[in-house]
Amino acid sequence: MHDPSLLRLAHSVLWPGFDGLTAPDWLMHALDQGLAGAVYFEQNISPSDPEQVRALSKSIHDANPIALIGVDEEGGIVTRLEASTGSSTPGNAVLGRIDDVDITEHTAAWIGNLVGAAGIDINLAPTVDVNSNPRNPVIGVRSFSADTDVVSRHAAAYVRGIQSAGIAACPKHFPGHGDTMTDSHLDVATSDITLEELRSIHLPPFRAAIDAGAKALMSAHIRVPALGDAPATLNSTSLGIARELGFDGVLITDAVDMAAIRATVGSGQGAVAALGAGADLICIGNPGRVSAAGGPRIDELDFTEPLHAVYDALASGTLSMERVEEAAARNAALALWRHEQPASPDDAGVFDGAPLAARAADVIGDVRLARGTVTLIDARPRRSIAVGDAPDFFDVALREFLETDRVPLGGLSDADAVAKARTVLADRPGEVVLVVNQPQNNTSEASVLDAVLQTRPNTVVIYAGWPAKTAPAAGRAIVTYGASRATARNAARLLSGQA
């Protein structure tokens, strides 16, 4: 890569993640070369030192004043800045259930202040997918609703709230990830919707967010056969629809190191194809991909593959220089907008989302627990990459009121999970709480749920994910519409009789 101008142009459209609490040398060098910025994950944030992330952001902005820093701070189950404690906010499904746009705007403004206090420029939120498929494994309670009108009005309110704090909002996942059965972190997801369904169900929330002034938009790695064979991120027809809707801001890709891109065309060629299709900022996320001691830096390898691919495509003429210059200009304009905003507060203050969670929850039967040790069986699968690692907030919250003994089943085979649950029930005569996510699309959860209710019908079941269309099987249950700290605190209050 011997042409400095091409090298700088290639840097200006790339947006990597990285490992560590401080910016590594390769990232600082890339920022000096004009890198567009960086994306934070929980691996970049120290829960014990609130000054750490502000110092990290300052070091990045000092290295490149027009660098854009982004983070997934959706609230609810997806939080980076509150990953260790759980989000203070209850999440989109709760907000959609309450259906008060003023509350959504207020919640989003608080999140915007939280993001701004960390020195971050773009919040990769809100999720405005219409969760029309209750078996969706990756959206679920990240969605406001299965109703297009509900999602649309809350999409607009959330954008207004975030941007009232001077932070760029980035609605996702365009053109709509709500009617899929696959997590695009793991494979290519397909949405077999018609063009009419796309226009009438899935696009209106994006149109509402655009009309509310959203500064950015994130694409999805989903195939919509009605739009062509390529995933939306690499599909000029799909990305062109965003422009047809009136969007003139920054089109950001979902991370090109996700399996839907990396395991098919590769992250390098994916970056080139996305830029050619109309994307402006290529996200390279690598969450959780930690380098081994003494080995090569995985984060740097993840970055250099797209960098070399974009440079080579520019040098060969395969990728239009004018197209990438257009993308770079949009990124720079967003950085300028951010600089023009009032200074962010040093502290977002306190937000208590538990009362909101209480308004949205469905309670079936008398869920108050008798005193004594409570056995908490957690049948949920391991968390997705989108959500990230986190403690079990139901256990944490319940321990404030009662003595609990948590039994996790995630990662076991269906048969082993059922066998372990039955053994636990045979050994423990006291109260039992079973936590499930979406048993309608997880055979292990469904099998454990059936076995537990057959053995101990008075078990209290917490349904933490998107509910099925059928009524809950349990006679004592709480449908929480999320697994954030806020929803967990409300569940704990109900279980302990403190509500």
Side-chain angles (χ1 to χ4, degrees), residues 128-205:
V128 300
D129 305 299
V130 178
N131 202 62
S132 54
N133 188 340
R135 299 183 67 188
N136 193 315
V138 68
I139 302 301
V141 296
R142 298 166 68 194
S143 171
F144 290 109
S145 179
D147 183 297
T148 297
D149 290 340
V150 173
V151 178
S152 296
R153 56 179 170 263
H154 289 275
Y158 198 111
V159 167
R160 291 194 300 268
I162 285 287
Q163 295 190 172
S164 72
I167 304 300
C170 181
K172 58 189 182 185
H173 306 78
F174 191 84
H177 208 316
D179 192 6
T180 60
M181 291 279 289
T182 304
D183 182 347
S184 51
H185 292 86
L186 308 176
D187 203 349
V188 179
T190 297
S191 181
D192 288 313
I193 55 175
T194 66
L195 285 177
E196 176 54 33
E197 287 171 327
L198 179 70
R199 294 190 186 103
S200 63
I201 298 173
H202 299 282
L203 289 181

Side-chain angles (χ1 to χ4, degrees), residues 193-340:
I193 55 175
T194 66
L195 285 177
E196 176 54 33
E197 287 171 327
L198 179 70
R199 294 190 186 103
S200 63
I201 298 173
H202 299 282
L203 289 181
F206 290 99
R207 183 182 296 112
I210 291 166
D211 290 346
K215 295 295 180 182
L217 204 66
M218 177 174 278
S219 67
H221 301 329
I222 63 166
R223 286 182 64 252
V224 181
L227 298 177
D229 289 334
T233 294
L234 315 181
N235 189 323
S236 60
T237 300
S238 177
L239 298 187
I241 291 172
R243 301 302 183 196
E244 291 169 9
L245 293 176
F247 179 67
D248 62 359
V250 175
L251 274 173
I252 304 175
T253 72
D254 212 339
V256 295
D257 60 320
M258 288 164 55
I261 303 297
R262 177 174 46 81
T264 53
V265 299
S267 59
Q269 289 310 307
V272 172
L275 288 165
D280 301 309
L281 191 55
I282 307 300
C283 178
I284 312 161
N286 62 66
R289 287 167 59 81
V290 179
S291 308
R297 289 196 64 107
I298 294 175
D299 52 4
E300 184 175 8
L301 295 175
D302 284 347
F303 166 66
T304 55
E305 182 179 348
L307 175 65
H308 282 260
V310 171
Y311 178 91
D312 290 346
L314 286 168
S316 68
T318 306
L319 181 59
S320 161
M321 190 177 303
E322 290 76 14
R323 164 78 272 276
V324 182
E325 287 172 341
E326 175 190 48
R330 283 202 183 101
N331 300 338
L334 181 55
L336 178 61
W337 173 86
R338 171 70 172 124
H339 286 314
E340 292 171 345

Side-chain angles (χ1 to χ4, degrees), residues 415-441:
D416 287 347
V418 169
K420 185 170 182 178
R422 284 181 169 149
T423 299
V424 168
L425 294 176
D427 291 342
R428 304 180 192 183
E431 290 271 31
V432 175
V433 175
L434 172 66
V435 185
V436 293
N437 187 46
Q438 293 179 181
Q440 68 266 27
N441 67 341

Side-chain angles (χ1 to χ4, degrees), residues 111-135:
I111 292 174
N113 284 327
L114 181 72
V115 170
I120 297 170
D121 308 297
I122 304 175
N123 189 16
L124 301 177
T127 293
V128 300
D129 305 299
V130 178
N131 202 62
S132 54
N133 188 340
R135 299 183 67 188

